[in-house]
Amino acid sequence: MSPYDPSAFPPFAVTVDLVVLTVREHVLSALVVRRGEPPFQGRWALPGGFVRADEDLAAAAARELAEETGLRAQSPGSSGGPGAHLEQLATFGDPQRDPRMRVVSVAHLVLAPDLPAPRAGGDARSARWAQVGELLGSGDGSALAFDHAQILAEGVERARAKIEYSSLATAFCPPSFTVGELRRVYEAVWGVALDPRNFHRKVTGTPGFLVPTGGTTTRQGGRPAQLFRAGGATVLNPPMLRPEV
Amino acid sequence: MSPYDPSAFPPFAVTVDLVVLTVREHVLSALVVRRGEPPFQGRWALPGGFVRADEDLAAAAARELAEETGLRAQSPGSSGGPGAHLEQLATFGDPQRDPRMRVVSVAHLVLAPDLPAPRAGGDARSARWAQVGELLGSGDGSALAFDHAQILAEGVERARAKIEYSSLATAFCPPSFTVGELRRVYEAVWGVALDPRNFHRKVTGTPGFLVPTGGTTTRQGGRPAQLFRAGGATVLNPPMLRPEV
DNA sequence: GATCATAGTCGTCTGCCTGACGATAAACAG
DNA sequence: CTGTTTATCGTCAGGCAGACGACTATGATC
């Protein structure tokens, strides 16, 4: 076969889909948009869209993210500063996943701090934050369009695994946060309760994880808590252990 | 934009590329094929090819693997039995990664036991096992075609990370193997020396990791060693710790 | 103002696991 | 028989996590 002959390979549409996760009111939530047209009209789906002809995959994901949320992406490599964490998740290419045509979707994972209500995308689709537990609840009418439930599940599992051995949980926090706020992120993502004292010892004892800003806050009530920002460390060694079941 | 209009999205070629790793003579090695045509004619590249019109991504990877090596793939989920471990690695879609056209490549990672010399593919390209260290050695003439050095590097890093917390290292071993053979897999993949006594304690003490077959062997010389096969456990908790630096 | 509820922070203790390493066992080569 | 190689069992000290007691500093309530 000659790779120069366009008829030698089948043409695919390539899209990016986004699993945008945040922690709202102590609950892990994902960004979903309502589909305005068939198939799956009226159903909720992950945000996404076609990759443009001269666009890198990560750039397409960052563009879609900005269109849906106004967030600037923070690709791996660049560290600190504002913007959400963005990384490639996995690619989904079942021939039947889109009834219209052959679509290969490169899913991306975005971890964002708590945001104001999402703004409507350029195409005026309505968007909202939905609790992950409800979106993945088995067999109810809230099922996502296409194979998006599977994509979301993989994104959630990736996030759950990654905050174990990386400092990525800080991506869910505002630039300045307390140890308690960080703990509530872990608790929401993992769906477990953690001992505040052991958690405090662990995160403050890991070099480079947290840097004190000097300030304090009482926005959570109770005794004033020290404020921290994310340190330079990206890997946690030894990792934060997820309690077994 | 109407998704029904083919002109509404740019057409892409979609390929799968394979990072096939094995341990040969105590060295981590990857399968490479020599390119018979431009671009990069004569250079070594990762095996791969176009995804067919009605073919799933994993199926395309398994097909290419069989064409190049005769190996049957063992996708995640199915466990035990013969065949190599296959999992999706990452997707590479830089607009410039192939000078001929826009190609999005879904890279897959294959972990295989030591094999006889690779057989030529159906298209008669020559194939060989190359030491990973040489393929990734900086700046020499052995550089791989396209962005395959980057793909290989990600595959190697994935393998290094995954044998830490999973039983995947057994995928490099024949169906029946000794603790010493398994240790040499870890040493080759990580490029470090491990203490045989602590390693033995760790792997035999992790429930479900190894199952004794009852037999022994002296194929490594020295005192006869017990033979094991991989147990049902897929995750190692606590993980096997990779020595620092 | 005293009391209570809430949240943060510091310590202690115990058990498990790892790294370092000594010692013994069972094969083969000379 | 002796040395070499590999396998396997044991011992010991240090590090870290889980369980949990104690104290501190705020705001809310009586």
Side-chain angles (χ1 to χ4, degrees):
Chain A
M1 73 187 166
S2 164
Y4 293 97
D5 177 6
S7 67
F9 61 90
F12 291 73
V14 175
T15 62
V16 290
D17 284 325
L18 298 181
V19 177
V20 187
L21 299 180
T22 196
V23 174
R24 289 173 66 83
E25 296 163 6
H26 301 189
V27 176
L28 183 65
S29 302
L31 183 64
V32 288
V33 298
R34 192 186 290 278
R35 286 188 57 78
E37 47 188 58
F40 301 101
Q41 186 168 25
R43 293 270 282 283
W44 295 99
L46 298 178
F50 290 106
V51 177
R52 295 179 180 165
D54 268 308
E55 189 178 44
D56 187 48
L57 299 176
R63 174 179 53 77
E64 291 287 343
L65 177 65
E67 288 176 8
E68 297 287 348
T69 67
L71 275 173
R72 276 194 307 158
Q74 196 80 34
S75 288
S78 54
S79 67
H85 171 85
L86 185 150
E87 67 178 50
Q88 194 186 105
L89 178 58
T91 299
F92 297 81
D94 186 304
Q96 313 300 330
R97 65 180 294 277
D98 189 316
R100 296 164 295 181
M101 55 188 170
R102 185 70 199 266
V103 178
V104 166
S105 176
V106 184
H108 286 71
L109 177 63
V110 176
L111 307 185
D114 196 359
L115 298 168
R119 73 182 197 196
D123 47 0
R125 291 179 294 183
S126 62
R128 72 176 180 108
W129 293 107
Q131 300 194 357
V132 164
E134 293 182 3
L135 290 174
L136 295 179
S138 54
D140 58 0
S142 70
L144 292 168
F146 303 107
D147 52 1
H148 287 186
Q150 184 195 348
I151 298 176
L152 173 62
E154 286 204 24
V156 169
E157 193 38 59
R158 170 83 64 97
R160 283 180 176 152
K162 249 188 144 165
I163 64 173
E164 242 181 311
Y165 59 88
S166 79
S167 62
L168 221 53
T170 59
F172 287 112
C173 294
S176 185
F177 55 88
T178 70
V179 172
E181 288 164 347
L182 183 62
R183 175 169 49 81
R184 278 179 277 276
V185 165
Y186 275 91
E187 292 178 332
V189 175
W190 284 345
V192 298
L194 299 176
D195 185 287
R197 296 157 291 186
N198 292 336
F199 183 87
H200 189 277
R201 176 182 62 191
K202 174 68 177 173
V203 297
T204 57
T206 300
F209 190 8
L210 299 183
V211 178
T213 66
T216 62
T217 182
T218 60
R219 61 189 172 212
Q220 298 291 338
R223 169 175 165 180
Q226 248 187 113
L227 283 170
F228 296 86
R229 57 179 177 79
T234 57
V235 293
L236 264 43
N237 197 0
M240 180 86 58
L241 293 183
R242 172 162 32 165
E244 344 224 337
V245 185
Chain B
M1 73 187 167
S2 164
Y4 294 97
D5 177 7
S7 67
F9 62 91
F12 290 73
V14 175
T15 63
V16 289
D17 284 323
L18 297 181
V19 177
V20 188
L21 299 180
T22 195
V23 175
R24 288 173 67 82
E25 296 163 5
H26 301 188
V27 176
L28 183 65
S29 303
L31 184 64
V32 288
V33 299
R34 192 185 290 278
R35 287 188 56 79
E37 47 188 59
F40 301 101
Q41 186 168 24
R43 292 270 282 283
W44 295 97
L46 298 178
F50 290 106
V51 177
R52 295 179 179 165
D54 268 307
E55 189 178 42
D56 187 47
L57 300 175
R63 174 179 54 77
E64 292 286 343
L65 177 65
E67 288 176 9
E68 298 286 348
T69 66
L71 275 173
R72 277 193 308 159
Q74 196 80 34
S75 289
S78 54
S79 68
H85 171 86
L86 186 151
E87 67 177 51
Q88 194 186 104
L89 177 59
T91 299
F92 297 81
D94 186 305
Q96 313 300 329
R97 65 180 294 279
D98 188 316
R100 295 164 297 181
M101 55 188 168
R102 185 69 198 267
V103 179
V104 166
S105 177
V106 184
H108 286 70
L109 177 63
V110 176
L111 306 186
D114 197 359
L115 298 169
R119 74 181 198 196
D123 47 0
R125 291 179 296 183
S126 61
R128 71 176 180 107
W129 293 107
Q131 299 194 358
V132 164
E134 293 181 2
L135 290 174
L136 295 179
S138 53
D140 58 0
S142 72
L144 292 169
F146 303 107
D147 53 1
H148 287 187
Q150 184 194 351
I151 298 176
L152 174 62
E154 287 203 24
V156 169
E157 193 39 57
R158 170 83 65 95
R160 284 180 175 152
K162 245 184 148 169
I163 64 174
E164 239 180 314
Y165 59 89
S166 79
S167 62
L168 221 53
T170 58
F172 287 112
C173 294
S176 184
F177 54 89
T178 71
V179 172
E181 289 164 347
L182 183 62
R183 175 169 50 82
R184 278 179 278 275
V185 164
Y186 275 91
E187 292 178 332
V189 175
W190 284 346
V192 298
L194 300 176
D195 185 286
R197 298 157 291 189
N198 293 336
F199 184 87
H200 189 277
R201 176 181 62 191
K202 174 70 176 172
V203 296
T204 57
T206 300
F209 190 8
L210 299 183
V211 178
T213 66
T216 61
T217 181
T218 60
R219 61 187 172 214
Q220 297 291 337
R223 170 176 165 181
Q226 249 186 114
L227 283 171
F228 296 87
R229 57 179 177 78
T234 56
V235 293
L236 265 43
N237 197 0
M240 180 87 58
L241 293 183
R242 172 163 30 165
E244 340 226 341
V245 185

